[in-house]
Amino acid sequence: MKQALISVSDKTGVVELAQGLAELGYRILSTGGTAKLLAASGVAVTEIADYTGFPEILDGRVKTLNPRVHAGLLARRDVPAHMAALAAHGIEPIDILCVNLYPFEQTVARPDCAFDEAIENIDIGGPAMLRAAAKNHASVAVLVDPADYPALLQELRTHGRVGSAMRFELAKKVFAHTARYDGAISNYLSSLDEKLQPTAYPRTLTRQWTKVQDMRYGENPHQSAAFYRERVVGSGLLANYVQLQGKELSYNNIADADAAWECARSFEQPACVIVKHANPCGVAIAADVAGAYAKAFKTDPTSAFGGIIAFNRPVDGACARAVAGQFVEVVLAPAFDAGAREVFAAKQNVRLLTVAPGAAHNDVEFKRVGGGLLVQSADIATVGPGDLRVVTRRQPTAEQVQDLLFAWRVAKFVKSNAIVFAGGGMTLGVGAGQMSRLDSARIASIKAREAGLSLAGSAVASDAFFPFRDGLDVVVDAGATCVIQPGGSVRDEEVIAAANERDVAMVFTGVRHFRH
């Protein structure tokens, strides 16, 4: 008789699976709570203890660790000696294994999880069975994900057996699953100190991503690339995008789209962010997305050519018609209405992405270095009016405070050294990625002049402190009347004195936003 062993923590879909297998002539072996559930649902079940002839012991720690189970999973059907050994010991092959593991990750994610509870949620028998079945996938079909139950039943009903291609795919999924599971255990245990208190970063770090797609190439055509997504991705993060139309996304498209989306979703008002080479070249807020786009585009029409545009509100037809007037690589927003879809349908190469709004953020950020990895917490620090410390005689007006906070929010997403001029809910000039803060200030003012934008009365944000007064003088000479910066330089008093001398308002945030 064909046999299936089912033992799951997540009971999703398991009754339907067992019923389907029973109808197809499988004998169902099961354990503990799973066996009780199946029996209560009318499925004929053989308890694993009755099958092995050995009771569950040690509070259930030992129940499937038995030769009748593991030999039934590991025996190669194409090796006569294996089959003879099964026959000699009265062991029947197990053809299908369905197991998912104790919920270790969910358990340790709870703030009140005690160490002993975490240890008890380390599954032993489950991974052992999964690895045995996956190793012997030439003979055994192994299920670890309830999403695969219907496909397996359909395969059996259609072909009478589980084909080799499906068995191989299921086996690969199992080894990825057990690797993640072991990684989660390692991360948890190696993050505890000698007093079992958690530390910020584990001694050994293990993460897992799943490939979404291969890229045509990387940053440059001679580089290969692929895009991976973490298994659990929170609402609001780019990795959950849905592509509605357009050419295949490139490596640079995804990198720039992420920069644009992160900036756009940081605003409460309708916002538009235009990004080129990972830097915002135009950012604006307005009463609607069409108005925000018009203002953002004014900042730097030249750099906007071939850029990435992100909106934090659904895009309508009016906005789409304005955007369609320029060459754009990617447009992303929470949604596009029917009018917008019709407009962009005429431009099939434009990649349209939807990203669900939300407040989730990456728990940590990574940067590869030669032979190593830098890991840091995400830069999610925000600054409000109450966080500003006025350090000059001149106090900023309420309107200037709004302009300063807008410029500061944008500066967070500009490559260092970053200088951002802003006013009236839009960027006026952006200086990014220079080795000298002074050069970034000069470039930002040049950009504004080339775009025909006046900097008179503008607000300026600097992502880090001004080390000398010369940078302040450049932005004030360009027309700025208020400045926001972190402070913290040994020459702060010199820069404050310069601001008082120039009769401009300056506020300190106490927060720096380097972005490399």
Side-chain angles (χ1 to χ4, degrees):
M1 177 180 287
K2 296 176 290 186
Q3 295 195 113
L5 196 166
I6 303 175
S7 178
V8 294
S9 295
D10 178 1
K11 305 298 193 292
T12 304
V14 73
V15 171
E16 292 80 4
L17 172 67
Q19 289 172 337
L21 291 174
E23 290 169 2
L24 290 164
Y26 282 81
R27 178 189 188 186
I28 307 298
L29 310 176
S30 193
T31 64
T34 305
K36 289 182 175 65
L37 172 65
L38 297 182
S41 302
V43 178
V45 177
T46 300
E47 284 269 7
I48 202 70
D50 295 331
Y51 177 71
T52 62
F54 197 93
E56 293 185 14
I57 62 172
L58 306 182
D59 298 320
R61 284 190 170 200
V62 177
K63 50 190 172 186
T64 58
L65 296 170
N66 186 284
R68 289 183 65 82
V69 172
H70 286 274
L73 292 170
L74 282 166
R76 287 181 53 179
R77 288 15 170 206
D78 61 337
V79 177
H82 283 199
M83 301 310 292
L86 291 188
H89 295 282
I91 299 173
E92 300 172 56
I94 297 173
D95 306 286
I96 294 174
L97 175 72
C98 177
V99 168
N100 53 54
L101 308 175
Y102 295 168
F104 181 84
E105 287 182 272
Q106 297 91 322
T107 300
V108 299
R110 296 200 330 264
D112 63 343
C113 175
F115 177 74
D116 288 345
E117 184 183 8
I119 295 300
E120 286 306 310
N121 273 277
I122 297 176
D123 203 324
I124 302 300
M129 288 191 292
L130 287 173
R131 290 174 62 84
K135 175 177 180 176
N136 198 28
H137 65 270
S139 302
V140 181
V142 55
L143 294 162
V144 75
D145 184 352
D148 293 321
Y149 299 172
L152 180 127
L153 288 174
Q154 185 59 44
E155 180 93 345
L156 288 171
R157 288 167 181 150
T158 303
H159 303 290
R161 61 189 297 273
V162 181
S164 59
M166 176 175 279
R167 281 185 272 110
F168 186 47
E169 286 303 313
L170 292 173
K172 288 189 286 186
K173 201 166 187 175
V174 162
F175 283 118
H177 183 78
T178 56
R180 177 185 173 90
Y181 193 78
D182 288 340
I185 296 168
S186 171
N187 286 343
Y188 171 75
L189 293 177
S190 67
S191 70
L192 301 177
D193 63 17
E194 64 278 1
K195 296 180 180 178
L196 301 182
Q197 295 302 304
T199 59
Y201 299 99
R203 183 181 304 171
T204 302
L205 178 63
T206 304
R207 303 284 284 227
Q208 188 175 90
W209 291 266
T210 301
K211 187 166 70 173
V212 176
Q213 67 184 86
D214 290 308
M215 310 270 80
R216 289 178 296 159
Y217 52 80
E219 259 183 309
N220 299 291
H222 63 274
Q223 295 172 269
S224 62
F227 177 49
Y228 286 79
R229 176 190 293 131
E230 286 194 274
R231 189 184 72 172
V232 178
V233 179
S235 177
L237 296 178
L238 181 78
N240 276 339
Y241 76 83
V242 175
Q243 185 168 354
L244 303 180
Q245 71 163 58
K247 296 188 295 185
E248 181 183 353
L249 288 163
S250 71
Y251 178 100
N252 292 330
N253 287 158
I254 291 176
D256 287 351
D258 184 59
W261 174 248
E262 287 299 309
C263 185
R265 77 187 183 111
S266 72
F267 290 96
E268 292 78 29
Q269 310 93 322
C272 172
V273 177
I274 306 175
V275 161
K276 193 68 172 291
H277 296 302
N279 274 304
C281 60
V283 181
I285 54 176
D288 55 37
V289 288
Y293 168 74
K295 292 165 69 175
F297 184 74
K298 286 180 183 178
T299 303
D300 191 351
T302 301
S303 297
F305 181 84
I308 309 291
I309 303 178
F311 297 94
N312 66 350
R313 297 286 196 281
V315 172
D316 56 21
C319 182
R321 284 188 290 274
V323 172
Q326 74 164 101
F327 170 55
V328 59
E329 292 277 359
V330 179
V331 182
L332 60 155
F336 297 85
D337 72 10
R341 292 295 304 276
E342 183 178 357
V343 170
F344 285 120
K347 293 181 170 289
Q348 279 297 310
N349 285 338
V350 174
R351 304 160 178 90
L352 290 191
L353 309 183
T354 58
V355 183
H361 58 83
N362 291 332
D363 56 346
V364 290
E365 297 176 345
F366 304 106
K367 183 183 288 290
R368 283 285 277 147
V369 298
L373 185 72
L374 288 169
V375 184
Q376 67 173 353
S377 61
D379 183 3
I380 58 173
T382 59
V383 169
D387 301 309
L388 304 180
R389 180 165 69 94
V390 181
V391 295
T392 51
R393 290 191 298 268
R394 179 171 289 279
Q395 299 284 314
T397 66
E399 182 179 356
Q400 285 178 322
V401 167
Q402 293 306 309
D403 285 341
L404 288 169
L405 290 174
F406 174 89
W408 181 251
R409 187 168 298 196
V410 175
K412 175 180 173 180
F413 298 97
V414 177
K415 298 287 187 180
S416 300
N417 289 308
I419 295 290
V420 177
F421 286 86
M426 64 177 285
T427 48
L428 301 171
V430 179
Q434 298 303 304
M435 291 71 75
S436 161
R437 190 161 303 279
L438 191 61
D439 287 340
S440 287
R442 288 169 176 154
I443 289 170
S445 60
I446 291 169
K447 285 283 192 180
R449 184 170 64 249
E450 290 179 346
L453 299 174
S454 172
L455 296 179
S458 61
V460 165
S462 173
D463 66 339
F465 60 66
F466 286 101
F468 303 97
R469 69 166 289 167
D470 53 3
L472 179 79
D473 285 326
V474 168
V475 299
V476 175
D477 288 343
T481 56
C482 54
V483 177
I484 185 170
Q485 60 138 315
S489 168
V490 295
R491 294 187 177 85
D492 275 350
E493 293 306 317
E494 174 187 324
V495 177
I496 293 170
N500 284 327
E501 177 188 319
R502 302 300 299 269
D503 194 28
V504 298
M506 186 161 66
V507 299
F508 283 3
T509 65
V511 175
R512 188 182 73 182
H513 281 309
F514 271 165
R515 187 178 182 87
H516 291 102

